[in-house]
Amino acid sequence: MADPAISDELIAKHGLNKSEYQLILNLIGRSPTYTELGILSAMWNEHCSYKSSKKWLRTLPTTGKNVICGPGENAGIVDIGDGQAIVFKMESHNHPSYIEPYQGAATGMGGILRDVFTMGARPIAAMNSLSFGEISHPKTKSLVSGVVAGIGGYGNSFGVPNIGGELRFDKSYNGNCLVNAFAAGLVETDKIFYSAASGIGMPVVYLGAKTGRDGVGGATMASSEFDENIEEKRPTVQVGDPFTEKCLMEATLELMETGAVISIQDMGAAGLTCSAVEMGDKGNLGIRLNLDNVPTRENKMTAYEMMLSESQERMLMVLNPELEKEAKQVFEKWDLDFAIIGETISEDRFEVWHKGEIKADLPLKALSGTAPEYDRAYVETKNPCSTKPKSFQVTPIEALQTLLSSPNFGSRQWVYEQYDHMVMADTIRRPGLGAGVVRVHNTTKALAFTAHVNPRYCKADPFEGGKQAVAEAYRNLISVGSIPLATTDNLNFGNPEKPEIMGQFVGCIKGISEACKVLGMPIVSGNVSLYNETDGEPILPTPTIGAVGLINDLGKMIEGPAHSSDILVLIGGPGKHLDQSALMNEMYQETVGNPPFTDLKKEKINGNFVLNNLDLINACKDLGHGGVALGAFKMALEANLGVSIEDQEIPWYFGEEQGRYLLSMATTEAMMLCNKANLANVDARIIGSFAGSLIKFGKYSIECDELRSTYLNSLEQALM
């Protein structure tokens, strides 16, 4: 079958505008072939080239004393001592999950796991951050069901514990859900593998599952807005097989032990195209491919289809030719394909041959290095006016009941019970309790993981919202007694060609950057997902922050729960800020005013104070949405105790001031801690105690079991 003629319509279908196509003509001095057009469109789309975000991503702090590898590789790597490192990354699979929820979410899990074990690490933990539309929207329930089943189906079968994450519902996600997947793995520092090709004339080897037509054009689809023709994009969603992925991981890690691997790269977005180009680009080499040798599962596949297929469970490597036999035996043992499909060359070329014809001959460096880079116009978000104090006609107990009955703040048990969080037997802290914690096997160390963002804050004030996302991730790690190490980000926004959307992106980047610098949590990996809009309606700006912390001695971990007769201590002072709060959003459907200010110096001081007094603390809960009221209730629930708190006004209970923690400890320890806090210039005050079975806020009280039932059932009931 002859390739279609290059036309304006065909160019537009490939996501290229007129100026970008002219750049192609200038670059290669002729009209591209159909396969070349596909390759260029894949490499130059937003998802692969970051053409709208590169300028601002370069401003993020990416180095630190523990950072081994920052952005630019498959995942970031941070040293955790004793010759070990943690490899981690977060990545989106938003558009595929909306089109085909189960497979979209499942292959998102598969992709992020490959990013980790491609670098030589064995995955030890996974998380996800999920954003859906209103539950009343006709698609939401099926999306939630499909996405959660897809994450669980893939992760459980693969065998990695899912130890936490977040879930939200908002009308802005009605036409565009967000599925952000996180994975982390352990590796010995002397056994890390990178993707840069090296050596001329080295074999380029295809590994893993066969190539099909699923996912062709997936990266281009992920870089465009949705419209009424969304169902036509269904064939661009990949299909995953977790059992093949498990075999691929074991085969890859075994292969690495043979010494046969010079460089290795997983096939993700844009498939064979992106993996080959990135390997060549990083190694300053050219690549020549012969597609006749690519293992396929469908007949008569064209060069275009093979180059752009996003079939899952595939890798590309540069092989030490002296160890070809040993390498092939490993993959044959695991019943996976092993095929030499090309070689490295000295020239700066990317050549693709099929059936004796050259289908593409392009300057390799130009495919990534000279991809369009835009300095998008942006308009800074105007700070909203502060609101006037509100007179509340509800009791604090009624207000808490409102939060607990919302699917945004009720228990996520219905979700995480579908995930295996105990596989590998190293999970210490189950989902639903803040940061997840996984033991570093055969050591006294553990790693803590968390993910956070408050999109309402980010829309109202992107700079403060970006700061707060990092700060709350920091507090989550502190709350289990871990030392925050580093972060990964997943930056989800609308159409960057709109100045107001680009303004949100720039503001959030600036806030994230400042917080990462002050709190000592560099960004070591990440992902940008733009064009999250449907019919012109953008999502809330959602720059998700994933963070990793280290517990050097498990004996000093804050495990909880609170003990009966424990004193409740508030670190960071009282609250009163209700603008953009959970209470105002859920009870009054108001999203007005400024988010709370995040004092980063105070965050650091208060966080260090908690870490310096671990021996005094029985339980700890950082405060964010829902303030003292929601935080104290969750501590009481975990302890199966009541809690009594002093009589205060509604803003005191539900204010969302930052840099704050609730601590539970014995009376003597509480007095000692308050004295130490006074000397350290930290605001610490006793506000209550744990005992009995009642939740008491001043003169108002309710049985904890009554609130427990509301909390545990609200999400599941809403989804019925």
Side-chain angles (χ1 to χ4, degrees), residues 197-218:
S198 64
I200 298 168
M202 296 294 122
V204 175
V205 183
Y206 175 114
L207 306 168
K210 290 180 170 41
T211 294
R213 291 188 172 94
D214 54 318
V216 174

Side-chain angles (χ1 to χ4, degrees), residues 362-380:
L362 297 165
L364 189 145
K365 277 286 184 185
L367 289 174
S368 57
T370 62
E373 183 174 334
Y374 295 116
D375 186 4
R376 302 279 191 196
Y378 69 93
V379 175
E380 291 186 2

